[in-house]
Amino acid sequence: MVTEDMRLTSTARAAGTAALALALGLAALTPAPPPAPAAAVGTTASPAEGADPVDFAIVVDQSDSLSDEDLAREVEAAALLAQGEISERSRATVIGFGSSEKPGQSPVREVCPPTVADAAGRQRLSDCVQQLARRDPARVGPGTDFPAAIRQAVGRLTEKSAPTTPKVVFLLTDGRLDVDDSPEYGADPESRRANGAKRLADELARARREHVQIWPLGFGTAIDRATLTDMAEGGYRGGCADLPSATPRMRVVADSTGIDKAFQETFAAARCAGITPGDSKRPPADLYVTIPPIATDGAITVSKHDPKVTVTYYDPRGRKVPTRGRFDDSVFELSGQDGPVEALRVNNPLPGRWRAHVEAPEGHRDREVAVRAIWQGRLRSAVTLDPASPRPGEKAVVEVRMQTRRGVVVTDPAQLAGIKVGARLAGDGFEPVDLTLADDGRAPDRTASDVRFTGTVTVPAGATGALRLTTSMAAPGVTSDRRPLHARVGEGTPAVVAGLTVDRVTVHPGGTVHGTLSVTNNDTAPRTLRLALADQAAGTELRVDPATVTVAPGSRRDAPFTLAVGPGTPLGDIGGQLTAVDAADHGRVLDSVFLDVRVEAPPTWLERWWPALAGGGAAVLLLGAFLAVRLRARRLRQDLAGVELELLREDRTLDRLTVRAGQGQGGTFRFTVEQTLGAAPTLQRARPGAHGAHQLHRTGGGELRLRPHGGREQPVRPGEATALDEDLRLAVHDRRATGARPSGGRSPSGGRAPSGGTWRDRFRFGARPAPGRRDGDGTGDAPAWSRPRPDGDHDGRRTEDTWDPHF
């Protein structure tokens, strides 16, 4: 028979099992989370959009004061610059110099003529720069002729050079001006030194006139710091940007061991690039270097010293990248594999931690290999002018924000540390006006450090028509374009006034963004305005609906519109801006607004239904807990532990038996009345399967019920006797009932003995003395004496008892 508490136990277990099955089922049904979104997909930059080009000359001291080891390190430093150039439009020249002291000698040796740093050019540079390691005393003298070296470099940089391309000389030396033995400078050492200094000043003046910067790097203890400073300050002082780090300056390192790192850092500063140092280990090893998110062009340089060292490159996702060609929207190009320095140039690099695995055969593993990344972030500017058509004398607000050529908006101010942003307003009837833009939260800037730069400009009173607003920005490692924003001055009350608002929201691919175009038409004819999108991230699928709005004359209209985000739009910031243009006025911009829309992956099935599932799971858990509490409470109510059974004949107590913990399984206790020849009946816990047993049961409500053997179940009130058979009765004393104590005979110390003789007689003849209280196993609190066994043994045990009543 299945009892009620067994059913409750099954229910509770089923509830817990259901909760577990629900969780496992959800885990099985929920699709695996999508991979982390890749960076916004873009196309390869056109040459005009790639890294800014620079024409540079690497000028290397080959005087006799250098040891062979110093010269080898100079060669590696020169190769590092030539291979690490990040623009394929740059031109590089490599020149060695010494002095001219006898016939047949020249103070300079041009080992690499001006070479465009494209794929083939960088390989040529890798080969020709190795010639610096071979000195030829018959062709180059042992002195240090700075004037001749600078003259050669400036001459090469100014021939066939675009006027706007920066021109830079990187000069590497271990000493000072030494033309004491050069006849062309005079008849004796003293006049030669004087003439050498004068000619150096003349060459620096020429460099300044030709807009050629000079960045000297000295190493060792014999350096003439004053001369190096004069060279840095004597050339052209305008750098690639209006930044202190971009202004030419000299630098000195202790010895040749540090020139490769220092030379590359100097090179990065001069061409407005950033540099990230990486690991340095002996092969075989994995070397790591990080390329920041803002980088749009870069090169990973590996100073391996020995051409036998081989390098394999892996992107931040752990994928091996090709040494040439396109891979995952990046373009790769490796050069210098057969030289001491090789470089992997990357257009649109994946930001993150790159790995270069280096290997070398036995006998070629004695030197450490170093990896670095040189990079530049080429940004586009998105500009708004408010009002879009200001009147002469009116103050207008200029706002600009930056985004990569992929169209991804720059939102992290840390990436633009040290930035300077400016603008120039030019147009008909006035001289250009320059202004500085700030991101400091002070009016008109709305929020500090949100990477939106704002300033004000007053349109000159003489402005008569077209306006051209050009912004520029510069930060270490970052440059921007100079695309102008074209506008026109307004005259009197404008015919049409328009204002745009677009929700700043996060959407999923395929979602929509809402906006409003507010138009006031002061004209006497209907005017049609067109909504146009510009500067969106590459791959963005964005459509405006409706694309045109027509406003009746002399009326005002608020026209709602939507931007539909296509299902193939890459995740991330859409970027760009939306403009309202007057179709009847040659497309004049009436208003523009930046788009602050971020595209995120749609929620998974689990994310959509998680609240309901969590609520259902919580309900299941609460139900299980509720059932468990009810089951425990029911068990406590049914517990028979401590219940005492008193066997009575008429008003005499024959025996007592207490139910122990664990004996009333499921609220039921089975017992028998044992009658032995010559002894009073006793109560015993029934053995399993015993026949003739009586049953005491407590219901879930706490009610006691007795079912005598062969009889009907009946309720039992604590303390009241109930008939077991024609001769015997049973009283049940419940510890939970108040005041329920046994009634009937007393203990041996208290007086009345059972019928038939005295206590002594009963004991002497083996009859049971006054009853004692016993546990449910018949042994607990029994008196020191016991009833006699049939075999006459008075130890209180039966020889046939082998069942342990505790179980």
Side-chain angles (χ1 to χ4, degrees):
M1 180 179 67
V2 178
T3 62
E4 184 177 358
D5 71 304
M6 294 173 66
R7 287 193 297 271
L8 285 172
T9 302
S10 299
T11 303
R13 289 176 179 172
T17 303
L20 179 59
L22 177 63
L24 293 176
L26 291 177
L29 291 173
T30 303
V41 178
T43 57
T44 305
S46 66
E49 287 187 312
D52 293 327
V54 58
D55 288 351
F56 62 97
I58 304 170
V59 181
V60 178
D61 188 346
Q62 290 189 291
S63 62
D64 277 359
S65 59
L66 278 82
S67 66
D68 291 341
E69 183 179 356
D70 290 341
L71 189 59
R73 286 174 174 163
E74 280 190 331
V75 172
E76 292 181 4
L80 190 61
L81 267 60
Q83 296 305 305
E85 171 49 32
I86 56 180
S87 173
E88 62 180 10
R89 294 177 292 152
S90 295
R91 292 194 311 160
T93 303
V94 182
I95 300 169
F97 74 98
S99 62
S100 175
E101 301 178 357
K102 58 185 179 181
Q105 290 182 335
S106 171
V108 296
R109 180 186 177 202
E110 188 176 283
V111 296
C112 300
T115 304
V116 177
D118 55 14
R122 288 201 305 156
Q123 189 59 51
R124 286 197 298 271
L125 290 168
S126 176
D127 296 335
C128 64
V129 77
Q130 305 305 313
Q131 299 178 37
L132 290 173
R134 298 187 296 274
R135 282 183 288 205
D136 185 358
R139 296 181 59 185
V140 179
T144 309
D145 192 339
F146 289 148
I150 293 176
R151 181 170 61 253
Q152 180 75 12
V154 171
R156 289 291 182 254
L157 291 176
T158 54
E159 65 181 15
K160 301 180 182 179
S161 177
T164 57
T165 302
K167 295 176 279 292
V168 187
V169 173
F170 299 100
L171 187 145
L172 187 59
T173 181
D174 75 329
R176 60 186 66 237
L177 176 64
D178 180 10
V179 290
D180 288 4
D181 297 324
S182 299
E184 64 177 289
Y185 284 95
D188 56 76
E190 185 176 354
S191 61
R192 292 167 183 167
R193 283 193 293 271
N195 290 331
K198 183 180 182 303
R199 190 172 298 180
L200 177 59
D202 293 340
E203 297 300 339
L204 293 175
R206 179 192 175 199
R208 187 164 56 251
R209 291 192 304 271
E210 299 288 352
H211 289 191
V212 177
Q213 306 170 44
I214 299 176
W215 293 71
L217 175 64
F219 62 94
T221 58
I223 289 297
D224 183 353
R225 291 175 176 265
T227 300
L228 297 188
T229 300
D230 291 341
M231 284 193 283
E233 296 180 354
Y236 180 62
R237 301 295 288 165
C240 56
D242 184 20
L243 295 171
S245 60
T247 302
R249 63 188 182 278
M250 77 92 177
R251 184 171 179 179
V252 174
V253 294
D255 52 49
S256 63
T257 58
I259 61 175
D260 59 342
K261 177 175 180 293
F263 214 24
Q264 193 173 34
E265 289 173 349
T266 298
F267 180 71
R271 63 147 12 271
C272 287
I275 187 167
T276 306
D279 294 334
S280 178
K281 297 178 183 178
R282 293 182 181 180
D286 285 323
L287 310 179
Y288 292 91
V289 66
T290 299
I291 296 180
I294 203 170
T296 54
D297 299 274
I300 299 174
T301 62
V302 182
S303 298
K304 56 187 185 178
H305 314 293
D306 189 337
K308 294 291 185 181
V309 176
T310 60
V311 189
T312 308
Y313 301 88
Y314 298 86
D315 71 9
R317 296 178 186 170
R319 302 171 298 181
K320 180 181 176 181
V321 299
T323 57
R324 182 167 281 102
R326 183 184 298 274
F327 177 76
D328 193 19
D329 294 298
S330 298
V331 178
F332 299 87
E333 179 189 289
L334 182 68
S335 63
Q337 289 175 288
D338 297 330
V341 175
E342 71 174 63
L344 181 68
R345 186 158 64 193
V346 190
N347 174 265
N348 285 342
L350 186 67
R353 195 165 178 246
W354 287 69
R355 175 166 64 100
H357 179 73
V358 294
E359 289 281 357
E362 291 290 345
H364 298 268
R365 301 176 178 176
D366 57 330
R367 297 190 64 179
E368 288 191 344
V369 178
V371 62
R372 300 184 189 92
I374 183 169
W375 50 268
Q376 188 178 75
R378 175 77 170 175
L379 301 183
R380 291 173 175 170
S381 57
V383 190
T384 63
L385 183 64
D386 186 18
S389 295
R391 294 188 297 272
E394 184 177 8
K395 181 179 290 186
V397 176
V398 178
E399 186 177 19
V400 60
R401 68 176 179 178
M402 301 296 168
Q403 57 194 55
T404 68
R405 59 172 169 251
R406 294 174 173 178
V408 178
V409 177
V410 179
T411 58
D412 183 5
Q415 296 181 8
L416 299 178
I419 187 173
K420 287 188 176 182
V421 181
R424 167 171 285 197
L425 181 67
D428 299 335
F430 65 95
E431 293 295 323
V433 179
D434 293 323
L435 62 149
T436 301
L437 308 181
D439 182 23
D440 53 10
R442 291 182 290 186
D445 189 56
R446 290 176 291 182
T447 306
S449 301
D450 64 350
V451 200
R452 291 179 178 226
F453 300 87
T454 312
T456 58
V457 60
T458 299
V459 179
T464 59
L467 297 176
R468 185 174 62 257
L469 179 66
T470 306
T471 60
S472 63
M473 62 84 65
V478 179
T479 62
S480 74
D481 60 11
R482 293 177 177 269
R483 293 183 304 159
L485 170 68
H486 295 284
R488 293 187 65 84
V489 296
E491 298 179 0
T493 301
V496 182
V497 178
L500 282 168
T501 59
V502 180
D503 292 345
R504 297 185 178 187
V505 293
T506 297
V507 298
H508 308 306
T512 57
V513 182
H514 297 277
T516 303
L517 171 62
S518 299
V519 185
T520 300
N521 184 5
N522 299 313
D523 200 1
T524 57
R527 300 295 284 262
T528 298
L529 275 63
R530 179 169 51 86
L531 297 177
L533 294 163
D535 294 329
Q536 269 67 58
T540 299
E541 300 174 2
L542 201 60
R543 181 172 54 85
V544 185
D545 186 27
T548 60
V549 174
T550 301
V551 185
S555 66
R556 184 183 186 280
R557 178 182 176 187
D558 289 335
F561 61 86
T562 60
L563 298 174
V565 181
T569 299
L571 305 183
D573 294 317
I574 286 181
Q577 55 187 322
L578 177 69
T579 60
V581 300
D582 188 351
D585 190 7
H586 308 288
R588 183 168 64 95
V589 176
L590 300 179
D591 193 25
S592 62
V593 62
F594 290 130
L595 296 180
D596 287 317
V597 178
R598 184 168 183 81
V599 181
E600 293 185 349
T604 62
W605 181 88
L606 178 60
E607 290 171 338
R608 288 196 306 268
W609 292 98
W610 176 247
L613 297 174
V620 171
L621 293 176
L622 289 174
L623 176 61
F626 172 73
L627 293 176
V629 171
R630 283 203 60 187
L631 178 60
R632 178 174 176 80
R634 183 178 183 85
R635 287 178 173 173
L636 290 175
R637 288 195 301 270
Q638 288 183 299
D639 191 9
L640 289 171
V643 172
E644 185 180 67
L645 309 182
E646 182 181 13
L647 184 64
L648 300 170
R649 177 178 286 153
E650 298 178 353
D651 61 346
R652 296 187 182 90
T653 299
L654 301 180
D655 198 8
R656 292 177 181 171
L657 181 65
T658 301
V659 181
R660 300 176 62 185
Q663 292 181 339
Q665 295 292 336
T668 300
F669 180 72
R670 300 176 70 250
F671 63 94
T672 60
V673 178
E674 303 290 339
Q675 298 196 41
T676 306
L677 181 63
T682 60
L683 295 170
Q684 296 289 337
R685 179 187 174 199
R687 296 181 178 88
H691 297 288
H694 311 284
Q695 179 174 293
L696 179 67
H697 177 67
R698 192 195 297 275
T699 67
E703 179 186 16
L704 290 171
R705 302 182 68 86
L706 176 67
R707 175 180 288 178
H709 174 66
R712 298 178 59 186
E713 186 175 282
Q714 54 189 307
V716 175
R717 292 186 176 181
E720 295 185 4
T722 303
L724 281 178
D725 55 27
E726 296 178 355
D727 185 34
L728 299 174
R729 293 183 300 160
L730 183 74
V732 179
H733 304 285
D734 189 359
R735 57 182 172 81
R736 300 179 185 177
T738 58
R741 299 300 305 158
S743 61
R746 300 179 182 177
S747 66
S749 62
R752 189 171 70 186
S755 59
T758 64
W759 286 102
R760 181 175 300 171
D761 294 335
R762 296 294 301 273
F763 183 78
R764 178 182 300 120
F765 293 100
R768 181 182 174 92
R773 183 171 180 174
R774 297 179 296 113
D775 286 331
D777 59 0
T779 62
D781 296 334
W785 59 86
S786 301
R787 57 186 181 276
R789 292 173 54 191
D791 60 358
D793 188 354
H794 295 273
D795 63 1
R797 293 174 296 171
R798 299 181 181 180
T799 57
E800 70 273 22
D801 287 346
T802 58
W803 171 62
D804 187 349
H806 289 284
F807 296 93

